[in-house]
Amino acid sequence: MIKRAFVLLLALNLIFLLCACGQSESSRQVYVMDSAASLRVFPANDEAINAMCDTLFEIDRELSATNGELFEINENSGGNMPRHMAEVLSLSLKLAEKTGGAFSPCLGAVIDLWGVGSKNYVPTERELQTALRVSDVSGIELFGDEIALRGGARLSFGAIAKGYASDVMRDMLLQNGVESALISLGGNVYVHGKKPDGGMWNVAIRDPAGGANDWLGSLALSDKFVISSGDYERFFESGGKRYHHIIDPKTGAPAESDLTAVCVVGESGSAGDAYSTALYVMGREAALSFWRENGGFELVLIGRDARVTVTEGIADAFTPNEGKGYTYETAYR
Ligand code: ADP
Ligand code: MG
């Protein structure tokens, strides 16, 4: 995991080089939420960036399913939720409903069973069905900030925690009057304001078929979240088969999608993160229908067929990195 972090960090540095600039800055690179995080603030503001890092660690302590307060709640089948957890759960339940359950915070039992990236276990059908039975909202009972988990239900915020944290970072940038900043939490990017030289930020989109430093295109943006999910990020192989970390809540198994990565561009980190996971599960056609029916975000969809679909709202902001073997198309409303 640590190795992965440094590789990612390298990739991010590459992205940042695209926007090198001559103004004073504060920067921090930390390992948090199981990922490499990088924060850069212009002009320099150490007080703001230190407070932001403290908050990232606070969110991690609450939401980590392996050693945080969430772990305690799952183990004890409930308890009193701290501030960020209550907020993330409330957002998650709304986003689960909106995505027709393709994103769900109630999949903890299924996710822990597979343990992609930790125990890497292929469960039996029987084990999967048992875990699936407690992996929908019926396993949750809420009394204000008090939660009860029924029949072995477990919560998981792996698909939204970093997006939520990036929303909190954006709020802190605004509260601190920061003009310009670049925040990356494990590849979930938020670009705040314009670059110090007044230009747009360039955010690279990783090529799922390439190494950590390969990208298939870039987006010129300001004040936007760019959040990606893909099957190339976390997976294991067993018996000649590949098992990745994005679960189809209908089957409890890794989603069999015609997409290999989904990148959501929008004004909300939490929604972008939940959507990037949900739209991967849905697949290309359903993802585009979801985009047409719901405003407020744009997409880059990368298909298994090497077709890249960019939605019209960001078509002008997107520059393909030609020569990578992809074909590019624009989707209209
Ligand atoms: P990343 O963590 O790499 O940013 P995602 O945002 O797509 O990727 O989140 C994937 C993680 O979310 C998985 O590792 C798992 O813990 C959890 N997860 C997997 N499938 C779902 C799903 N359908 N709904 C909600 N959470 C999921
Ligand atoms: Mg996600």
Side-chain angles (χ1 to χ4, degrees):
M1 199 51 70
I2 298 286
K3 190 169 167 223
R4 177 178 179 260
F6 284 114
V7 172
L8 262 175
L9 216 55
L10 257 179
L12 297 172
N13 284 339
L14 207 78
I15 296 167
F16 297 162
L17 280 179
L18 298 175
C19 49
C21 27
Q23 209 186 41
S24 76
E25 73 171 273
S26 296
S27 72
R28 293 276 301 270
Q29 301 199 332
V30 291
Y31 193 78
V32 67
M33 312 184 96
D34 218 7
S35 302
S38 166
L39 295 84
R40 293 180 72 182
V41 163
F42 308 87
N45 186 336
D46 285 347
E47 208 177 311
I49 210 164
N50 288 338
M52 288 163 70
C53 285
D54 289 348
T55 302
L56 283 180
F57 285 111
E58 182 185 316
I59 294 174
D60 195 15
R61 274 196 301 278
E62 290 192 23
L63 300 186
S64 166
T66 47
N67 52 17
E69 291 182 56
L70 179 63
F71 177 77
E72 296 297 322
I73 292 225
N74 279 336
E75 288 297 296
N76 299 327
S77 297
N80 197 35
M81 291 186 290
R83 173 167 80 100
H84 294 296
M85 197 191 296
E87 177 74 22
V88 169
L89 179 62
S90 150
L91 281 167
S92 294
L93 292 172
K94 288 183 196 131
L95 291 162
E97 202 177 317
K98 199 154 185 184
T99 59
F103 159 84
S104 166
C106 310
L107 288 173
V110 173
I111 289 165
D112 291 356
L113 187 58
W114 287 94
V116 178
S118 50
K119 63 180 180 185
N120 293 337
Y121 173 69
V122 182
T124 63
E125 192 52 38
R126 197 194 169 99
E127 287 169 323
L128 214 49
Q129 291 311 323
T130 307
L132 263 180
R133 268 200 291 281
V134 293
S135 293
D136 66 28
V137 278
S138 65
I140 294 183
E141 241 178 289
L142 281 170
F143 318 91
D145 287 349
E146 191 78 20
I147 187 166
L149 299 171
R150 305 284 176 221
R154 295 173 83 86
L155 297 174
S156 165
F157 298 122
I160 190 172
K162 280 179 272 170
Y164 168 78
S166 60
D167 277 336
V168 175
M169 295 298 101
R170 187 256 323 266
D171 294 347
M172 291 181 80
L173 290 169
L174 291 171
Q175 280 154 18
N176 283 281
V178 171
E179 283 167 28
S180 168
L182 192 52
I183 309 295
S184 174
L185 308 178
N188 284 6
V189 174
Y190 171 62
V191 288
H192 181 70
K194 298 257 176 65
K195 280 196 295 181
D197 69 6
M200 295 288 205
W201 296 102
N202 289 305
V203 181
I205 301 191
R206 192 170 145 189
D207 174 5
N213 293 340
D214 293 317
W215 67 84
L216 59 70
S218 68
L219 287 161
L221 300 167
S222 74
D223 293 316
K224 290 282 185 293
F225 294 87
V226 184
I227 299 192
S228 303
S229 280
D231 52 28
Y232 57 92
E233 288 179 74
R234 279 177 209 229
F235 61 86
F236 68 94
E237 270 152 0
S238 172
K241 229 189 132 183
R242 191 172 150 143
Y243 300 93
H244 64 79
H245 73 143
I246 303 177
I247 302 289
D248 182 341
K250 288 204 181 93
T251 63
E256 291 182 16
S257 182
D258 60 349
L259 298 171
T260 184
V262 172
C263 173
V264 181
V265 179
E267 320 263 328
S268 159
S270 308
D273 202 356
Y275 289 170
S276 67
T277 307
L279 300 191
Y280 176 92
V281 172
M282 290 181 197
R284 188 196 300 270
E285 284 316 311
L288 287 173
S289 302
F290 186 85
W291 167 72
R292 290 192 177 99
E293 283 154 24
N294 297 278
F297 66 94
E298 300 294 332
L299 298 171
V300 180
L301 303 175
I302 304 157
R304 240 165 251 299
D305 56 0
R307 194 154 46 104
V308 178
T309 308
V310 181
T311 57
E312 62 177 326
I314 49 168
D316 289 344
F318 182 80
T319 306
N321 187 10
E322 303 285 1
K324 292 273 175 189
Y326 290 94
T327 55
Y328 300 87
E329 65 183 21
T330 305
Y332 297 92
R333 286 209 181 271

